[in-house]
Amino acid sequence: MLHLRSMSRLATTGEVLQLIRSGEAVTRADIGRVTGLSRPAVAHRVADLLQRGLILEDADGPSTGGRPPMRLRFAASGGVVPVASLGARRTQIALCDLAGEVLQRTDLDIDVEEGPDVVLPLLMDTWEKLLDGRDDVVGIGLGVPATVEFAAGRVESARVMASWTGVVIPPIIAERFRVPVLVDNDVNVIAMGEHRVVYAAELDDLLFVKVSTRIGAGVISGGGILRGALGAAGEMGHIPVRDGGGVLCRCGNLDCVDSVASGTAILRDLRAKGRDVTSLADVTALVRAGDAETMAVVRQAGRWLGEVISGAVNLLNPAVVVLGGDVAEMFQPLVSGVREVVYRRSTQLATRSLRIERSRLGPGAGITGCALMVLDHVLSARAVDAAAR
């Protein structure tokens, strides 16, 4: 929410748009009251936003006698945002409106290890099919399962998506779609989506932990994503645990939580115990059947994960820890193991009101987060004002 009463300068057109988007001001009179702008100044800014198709007006405002005022609302249908949330094996591709709502979506089985020369053209071809001739794209958002230097859109991880290391993605996409292109780590965009849709009205500090083929985290602090100096914040998967058995991680270290508690690790450990499992669906069937060995393996994975999360809870003091990804969503014993360790090992103050919950948005959080990442950029007050010059 903008607080413009104390401003020593006049509110800009972009700032007026933020007031309308947030619902803080829905009539011209509201804008004048909140900003202190004169009626002609308000009329000028509103006319500019109407002309640019960023807002709409309806004659259904509250009346205090006489003709009711025109009600202003954000034009969510005024453009489209193509997005994609890449997973190690499966990718969600969608078109979203300017409110971040999904208009169309398709999921594709894509092995990201095939590299950017294969994956990026496939993404762009899919977006063009979904667009079907639409020419109102305002920006593009992409989440990838690797470390990303956010400011440049450069993939930096040599451990995952090795063939992508050093690739700067935005210019490649912008050759075909000449709009802003934003790229971030997949768990960061999932955390943004989960927070904004589910939790933003009640809390500003959230830790999202994705447990799937691999393990990663996204941190919401003070209402915004915490990326760190270069974008490496949230690399939880490569924090080692105690008594992990000396498992060699793909990063070269031993007993990283990724190597002992991820979906890949659970499948490996169950096979070593003689269980015939080829996918997480097989593990789910054994858990539902009450197989004691499987339950023990999954719960131990949760304890190891809880060991790492407890350190993050002490360091960050989130209001809620959200567990997402197919492993967390499918296996209650894993969630129970996390809770057991976090509430035992984290400080009393950090856990006094801490909630540990499974994701409510589920797989859709990634594409929602990608859209919000783009919209926060292209619809910011600064961007809106710059586009008018």
Side-chain angles (χ1 to χ4, degrees):
M1 181 178 292
L2 295 178
H3 299 282
L4 300 175
R5 285 193 179 93
S6 61
M7 290 178 57
S8 59
R9 59 174 177 78
L10 295 179
T12 67
T13 299
E15 289 166 340
V16 169
L17 177 64
Q18 306 315 307
L19 292 171
I20 297 170
R21 284 184 70 201
S22 68
E24 188 176 355
V26 296
T27 66
R28 289 167 174 81
D30 289 342
I31 295 169
R33 184 181 65 255
V34 173
T35 65
L37 289 171
S38 66
R39 284 188 179 183
V42 170
H44 174 74
R45 286 156 176 74
V46 169
D48 183 19
L49 293 170
L50 286 167
Q51 192 275 328
R52 292 161 65 179
L54 291 172
I55 63 172
L56 302 169
E57 58 181 351
D58 303 308
D60 61 353
S63 177
T64 57
R67 189 175 66 181
M70 299 297 286
R71 189 178 185 89
L72 304 171
R73 59 184 173 88
F74 177 61
S77 60
V80 65
V81 182
V83 296
S85 180
L86 272 68
R89 294 287 183 270
R90 192 163 183 79
T91 291
Q92 301 165 351
I93 304 173
L95 300 182
C96 296
D97 66 14
L98 299 190
E101 296 294 327
V102 176
L103 301 175
Q104 296 182 69
R105 173 178 162 178
T106 185
D107 292 0
L108 298 178
D109 292 323
I110 304 174
D111 185 349
V112 294
E113 296 293 353
E114 292 187 30
D117 293 341
V118 173
V119 175
L120 292 180
L122 180 56
L123 288 182
M124 291 187 282
D125 290 344
T126 304
W127 283 327
E128 287 195 334
K129 289 177 183 176
L130 293 176
L131 287 166
D132 192 25
R134 289 188 68 160
D135 61 356
D136 55 349
V137 175
V138 301
I140 288 175
L142 184 62
V144 298
T147 303
V148 176
E149 184 183 344
F150 179 73
R154 179 185 293 110
V155 180
E156 292 289 351
S157 175
R159 299 166 182 165
V160 184
M161 299 171 63
S163 60
W164 295 70
T165 301
V167 174
V168 182
I169 295 175
I172 298 172
I173 296 176
E175 286 185 3
R176 193 186 301 191
F177 298 93
R178 299 193 177 279
V179 294
V181 178
L182 282 76
V183 181
D184 204 349
N185 169 266
D186 63 333
V187 192
N188 279 350
V189 296
I190 291 171
M192 284 187 274
E194 189 84 26
H195 174 257
R196 190 78 61 86
V197 174
V198 179
Y199 295 100
E202 59 172 316
L203 56 87
D204 289 333
D205 298 280
L206 173 150
L207 174 65
F208 189 100
V209 181
K210 180 184 177 183
V211 191
S212 186
T213 306
R214 301 299 179 192
I215 293 173
V219 181
I220 301 293
S221 180
I225 191 71
L226 179 66
R227 295 188 175 93
L230 293 175
E235 284 291 332
M236 178 179 287
H238 297 286
I239 298 175
V241 301
R242 296 183 302 173
D243 304 323
V247 179
L248 180 65
C249 181
R250 57 201 164 92
C251 73
N253 293 323
L254 296 178
D255 294 338
C256 293
V257 69
D258 190 285
S259 68
V260 298
S262 64
T264 303
I266 290 171
L267 287 170
R268 179 199 63 219
D269 291 349
L270 286 174
R271 289 176 190 135
K273 294 179 180 297
R275 296 299 186 271
D276 183 19
V277 290
T278 59
S279 67
L280 291 176
D282 296 332
V283 183
T284 300
L286 290 172
V287 168
R288 289 176 176 170
D291 182 79
E293 193 83 69
T294 301
M295 300 275 279
V297 167
V298 172
R299 192 173 186 102
Q300 179 57 50
R303 292 189 182 106
W304 277 320
L305 184 59
E307 180 181 328
V308 173
I309 291 176
S310 66
V313 167
N314 286 340
L315 183 65
L316 299 169
N317 188 204
V320 61
V321 174
V322 181
L323 302 175
D326 45 12
V327 174
E329 290 163 10
M330 294 166 74
F331 303 143
Q332 180 58 41
L334 181 134
V335 178
S336 299
V338 169
R339 289 187 175 128
E340 171 191 338
V341 175
V342 171
Y343 287 121
R344 185 177 74 239
R345 296 191 53 180
S346 296
T347 66
Q348 182 177 4
L349 181 59
T351 57
R352 179 183 297 172
S353 58
L354 177 69
R355 292 144 53 187
I356 300 175
E357 303 175 351
R358 285 195 276 194
S359 170
R360 297 187 210 174
L361 282 190
I367 54 178
T368 298
C370 285
L372 294 173
M373 172 176 65
V374 172
L375 295 170
D376 285 349
H377 175 74
V378 301
L379 295 177
S380 68
R382 178 177 297 181
V384 171
D385 292 335
R389 295 189 187 118

